[in-house]
Each structure stands twice: as structure tokens, then as C-alpha cells.
Amino acid sequence: MQRDRFSSRLGFILAAAGSAVGLGNIWKFPFEVGQGGGAAFVFIYLIFCFVLCFPVMVAEIAIGRKAQLNPVGAFKALGYSNWVFIGYLGVICGVLILSFYNVVAAWAFGYFIDILFGHFLSGEIAFNEFVSDYIKIGAYSILFMGGTAFIISRGITEGIEKAAKIIMPLLLIMILILIIYALTLPNAIEGIKFYIIPDFTQITGKVIYSALGQAFFSLSLGMGAIITYGSYFSKDSNIIHSAIAITLMDVGVAFLAGFMIFPFVFYQGIETTGGAGLIFMTLPRVFEALGPQLGIIIGSLFFLLLSFAALTSTISLLEVPTAYLVDEKKIPRKTATWIAAIIVFIIGVPSLLSNGAIESLTHFVTLKGAGEKSFMDFIGLIANDTFLPLGGFLLSIFVSYVWKKENLNKEIALGTDGSSGNWVEGYVDIALTYICPLLLGAMFTITVLDNFFGISLLNRVLS
Ligand code: TRP
């Protein structure tokens, strides 16, 4: 059977940008900025997106498109069966990320519904009550996973691409409306200043480390999501240009998100260092303060935006195990999708219960360095902070030292008018050979030593 494909380059770019733009941009990015000292974090984040992440994205697209298969099949098809473990690592990592990502997506959707009905859920107590209500969150998670699976089961063009083509423009419109509104609030200018005027004394090892992790996660790299999307990308399209477009869109949305969040936050004179709660605890307070009518409109619009952004990302995460089942196990797409969705949901149940519902999951482990973690945070630590940089590290080693840059460049050249060999391509080769393995290897090492062994390189070397 012919492999389903994105119908156009734009379709691929929107789908991949949809994968990239997610909770990471709108939920995580602003709170990382808040904790990392504002504009200085943004500055470093931008550098990492282009210097480090862009080359990895090119490599992932090229591998996927060359092999025309899911990450596990891809390494076999290229002729390197010894390296398929990177593919398996990716599939497992995708399943783990989605298992808790879907829970946070369900929070966003739940907030949307609640605010729509006039319950603002502002503050810590309301948030804690909300997330521990496992029946409600469970129902929303099923809905979210079901919606994701429904879209994927319809295939690449009719499912993933169509969803991206509808959702991505909507997303942009919603963000712009919210920004315009946020900028009219008193004190908005203070928020903007915090956000765009860097104070470089704020840069510490910790800030660099989080900016790196954030950039990598935000661009959906390191686990084969982009390899999988690349496998549906037409041979005559330009990889480099597409990767630039995807990176720009992702960075653009994250950057825009700050222009709505920080005016909101400064309007209420709230601390910017609210961490993960910045969105779910702090912003509803702002919406409530806007009064019942305006608050409902702006608040629900915001959480609808967050839910839509999450949806195009859950789609890409579920597509990886689905593609694996379709290509490797020869399971029909519809069946494969629902099998993957059910497995991921079941793996996510403990995460769902680890926010107050069940004591032993809420206080799941105490790690030597990281301290106490809930089950959900623990999975996040393993999948996002450990497996992703490891996957990216192995991938760049594979491309530059095993598959070799000649093959990479051959695949890249397919979509060009023959004018390959320009400086961007040259940079990609150099980055994949030196910069990416070095930075990603360092990130992996630091994460492991710091969290699991309590040996904090960051504080010692870089602070
Ligand atoms: N990039 C998405 C976000 O910012 C999350 C995501 C989707 C992801 N697919 C991924 C992260 C693959 C890592 C790998 O929210």
C-alpha cells in the first residue's frame, strides 16, 4: 500500500509546527522565563533554538524522509540495525511524555470548561482541588486522548494535516486577540520590560540548562516525532527551508505568548516566579479580576488556546507509537491508533492520580538531588529531561559519525535546485558533529548527576 503523505510542503510545516507549538510554548515557556530572570532566559533560549535545535531538526527530517518509516524501522532501513535502540528509546519516550502531557492538556481543557461556566478556579487551593479530582480529570483525559486518536486514525492528509491547517491559524488569531487585550491593561509596560530587556547578570548555569531543555522540548526533538513526520514528507521539498520555517513558527509563538502572559501577570502585581502554577493558579486570578463577563471571555479564550495548542502536540506524540505499530507490526492504522491511545492512557493513570488523589503517588519518590517528586514529575524527569537529550545526543552521533554527512547532504539536496552546499548546510554538518553531541551529552550528564546522585555540576561550575 502506498504510504500516506502530507499533501504539500505547507501541510508538513504546519503539522510539524503544530507538534512543536504546545503546552511547552504557552504554559512552560513563560514560567521558565519568570523563574530564569526574564529576557536573559529568552535570549539564551533563542540562541539554542537556532544553534542547537535547528540542526537536529534537519537531521530528524532527513532520516525520516530517507527511510520512509517510523523511528524503529528507520534505522533498520538505513542499514544500521545496531542503532535501532535509538528508535525504541524514542517510541518509549513518546509514550511516556504523552502519558502525562495528556493530563496537563486535560487540566487546560477542564479550566476552559469551568471558566466558561463562571468558575475561575483562581489560586492554589482551587487548583489543588481541581487536579486531585481524578474522576473529572480522568474524563477530560479520555476525551482529549480520544480526540487525538480520532484525528490520527483518519490518516496523515485527512487527519493530521487537516487538523493542523485548521488549528494553527486559529491559534494565531486567539493569541493576537489576547495580546492586544493584555497590552491595554495597566502596568502592561512593566511586564513587557521584564520580558524583553535582558539583565545579563541573571544568567546562571541553571538558566542556561533550563533554556537548553526548554528549546529542545519545545521543538519536539529527540524522540523521533519529527523523524516520523519526515517520513510523510515529499522527496522534492526543501528540508532546510522547512526546518527554518518550523523553528521560526515555534519560537514566534513562544515569544508571542510572553507578550500576553507578562502584562497579565504584572497587571495583578503577581510574582513572576510562580513556577508551574503561573498559568493555572495565577492567571485565573487575573481573569477573575477582569469581572464576570470580560473575565469569562478572556479566560476561556486563553484556556481554549492552550487546549488547541496541546492538541496538535498530542497528535504528534501519539503518531510515533502508531506509526511503529503500523509499519513494524503491520496493524491497520485505525486499530493501531486506538491500541496506542489505550496503552498510553493506561500508563498515564498513575500520573493522573499523582496530584493529590493518591498519597503514595503524590509523594512518589525522594531522589538524592531532585528531592521529592510526584509520579507525574518523576516521569517528566525521566522522559523530558533525561531521555530527550540522550536521544538527541545519540541521534547526532549517529548522523555525523555513522550514517555520515554525505548521506545526510544527499537527502537534503533532493529538495533543492541543486544549489546545495551553502553555508547553512555547512553549519548543520558542523553542529551535528561537534556542537550537538557536546551540548546534549552535557545536558544528559548534568541531569543524571544532579537529580539522581545529588552531584550538582551546575552549582559548582556555572553559577
Ligand atoms: N513540543 C511540544 C510542546 O512544546 C511537546 C511535544 C510534542 C514534544 N511532541 C514532542 C516534545 C516530541 C518532545 C518530543 O509542548
Side-chain angles (χ1 to χ4, degrees):
M1 204 182 87
Q2 238 234 309
R3 196 171 177 77
D4 198 0
R5 269 178 208 301
F6 290 110
S7 69
S8 63
R9 192 172 84 140
L10 180 69
F12 168 75
I13 292 176
L14 286 178
S19 163
V21 172
L23 295 169
N25 303 57
I26 299 168
W27 170 59
K28 226 163 147 230
F29 177 75
F31 86 65
E32 298 254 17
V33 174
Q35 282 180 325
F41 178 93
V42 181
F43 180 75
I44 299 183
Y45 164 81
L46 289 177
I47 294 183
F48 279 137
C49 281
F50 288 97
V51 170
L52 168 81
C53 299
F54 163 72
V56 178
M57 176 168 297
V58 170
E60 286 206 19
I61 300 175
I63 289 182
R65 195 175 72 175
K66 172 77 195 165
Q68 303 276 301
L69 283 170
N70 70 94
V72 172
F75 288 94
K76 284 189 218 155
L78 297 184
Y80 301 95
S81 298
N82 288 340
W83 288 78
V84 327
F85 73 95
I86 307 183
Y88 282 111
L89 187 72
V91 176
I92 294 168
C93 186
V95 168
L96 291 180
I97 294 181
L98 184 55
S99 77
F100 70 83
Y101 195 94
N102 190 58
V103 175
V104 183
W107 295 352
F109 189 68
Y111 263 68
F112 162 64
I113 300 285
D114 263 325
I115 293 185
L116 202 59
F117 287 100
H119 311 298
F120 284 98
L121 299 169
S122 59
E124 197 172 337
I125 298 174
F127 173 75
N128 287 336
E129 226 167 74
F130 175 83
V131 296
S132 65
D133 184 348
Y134 60 93
I135 306 253
K136 188 163 149 185
I137 308 293
Y140 288 139
S141 309
I142 291 176
L143 203 70
F144 216 89
M145 188 71 84
T148 307
F150 173 73
I151 293 169
I152 290 197
S153 68
R154 297 171 53 96
I156 308 306
T157 345
E158 283 303 304
I160 300 180
E161 182 172 336
K162 220 178 207 168
K165 279 187 170 157
I166 298 171
I167 296 176
M168 294 307 281
L170 272 181
L171 213 71
L172 193 66
I173 295 171
M174 288 196 254
I175 291 197
L176 291 177
I177 295 176
L178 287 166
I179 292 180
I180 292 171
Y181 179 74
L183 290 178
T184 64
L185 293 170
N187 264 344
I189 191 74
E190 292 309 311
I192 300 298
K193 274 194 202 150
F194 170 80
Y195 185 49
I196 57 173
I197 303 177
D199 167 6
F200 289 108
T201 61
Q202 298 276 355
I203 299 178
T204 59
K206 192 111 195 80
V207 169
I208 298 176
Y209 169 83
S210 349
L212 176 76
Q214 174 60 22
F216 208 66
F217 178 82
S218 178
L219 285 163
S220 300
L221 298 170
M223 54 143 282
I226 302 296
I227 295 185
T228 310
Y229 276 15
S231 76
Y232 309 121
F233 191 31
S234 75
K235 287 273 181 196
D236 52 14
S237 296
N238 189 314
I239 294 183
I240 300 258
H241 292 177
S242 309
I244 292 177
I246 297 164
T247 309
L248 281 175
M249 282 186 181
D250 182 60
V251 166
V253 172
F255 196 59
L256 284 178
F259 283 97
M260 75 184 165
I261 305 273
F262 290 104
F264 278 142
V265 171
F266 277 73
Y267 163 62
Q268 282 271 292
I270 303 166
E271 274 293 299
T272 53
T273 49
L278 184 65
I279 296 294
F280 287 104
M281 299 178 210
T282 314
L283 284 185
R285 227 186 299 161
V286 178
F287 300 140
E288 196 167 23
L290 297 176
Q293 274 150 10
L294 202 56
I296 289 179
I297 297 173
I298 299 291
S300 55
L301 188 63
F302 175 80
F303 283 103
L304 187 64
L305 163 74
L306 200 58
S307 310
F308 271 144
L311 183 59
T312 46
S313 297
T314 52
I315 289 174
S316 85
L317 286 161
L318 190 61
E319 176 58 27
V320 176
T322 302
Y324 166 74
L325 293 175
V326 171
D327 295 340
E328 304 302 303
K329 305 287 171 204
K330 309 288 175 233
I331 299 176
R333 185 167 184 89
K334 278 206 166 56
T335 322
T337 312
W338 291 102
I339 294 177
I342 290 169
I343 292 177
V344 174
F345 180 79
I346 292 172
I347 296 178
V349 169
S351 287
L352 177 72
L353 297 172
S354 73
N355 299 291
I358 292 186
E359 201 58 17
S360 58
L361 291 170
T362 309
H363 309 280
F364 183 62
V365 278
T366 304
L367 298 171
K368 217 164 171 192
E372 192 185 283
K373 293 258 171 207
S374 69
F375 184 84
M376 183 158 145
D377 290 345
F378 182 66
I379 298 290
L381 177 65
I382 304 260
N384 290 1
D385 303 340
T386 314
F387 283 3
L388 286 186
L390 178 62
F393 167 77
L394 293 168
L395 190 96
S396 31
I397 298 277
F398 171 80
V399 170
S400 46
Y401 298 96
V402 182
W403 195 41
K404 299 254 161 60
K405 71 173 186 220
E406 292 75 31
N407 286 312
L408 172 72
N409 292 341
K410 240 189 255 161
E411 188 59 35
I412 292 175
L414 284 183
T416 62
D417 45 13
S419 64
S420 67
N422 63 16
W423 69 271
V424 182
E425 210 182 300
Y427 173 72
V428 168
D429 290 336
I430 292 176
L432 288 169
T433 314
Y434 305 105
I435 302 173
C436 303
L438 195 78
L439 284 174
L440 293 166
M443 162 133 190
F444 170 72
T445 313
I446 289 171
T447 305
V448 172
L449 289 180
D450 199 344
N451 291 289
F452 298 100
F453 297 95
I455 304 171
S456 180
L457 296 181
L458 284 178
N459 291 341
R460 230 169 274 173
V461 187
L462 288 161
S463 65

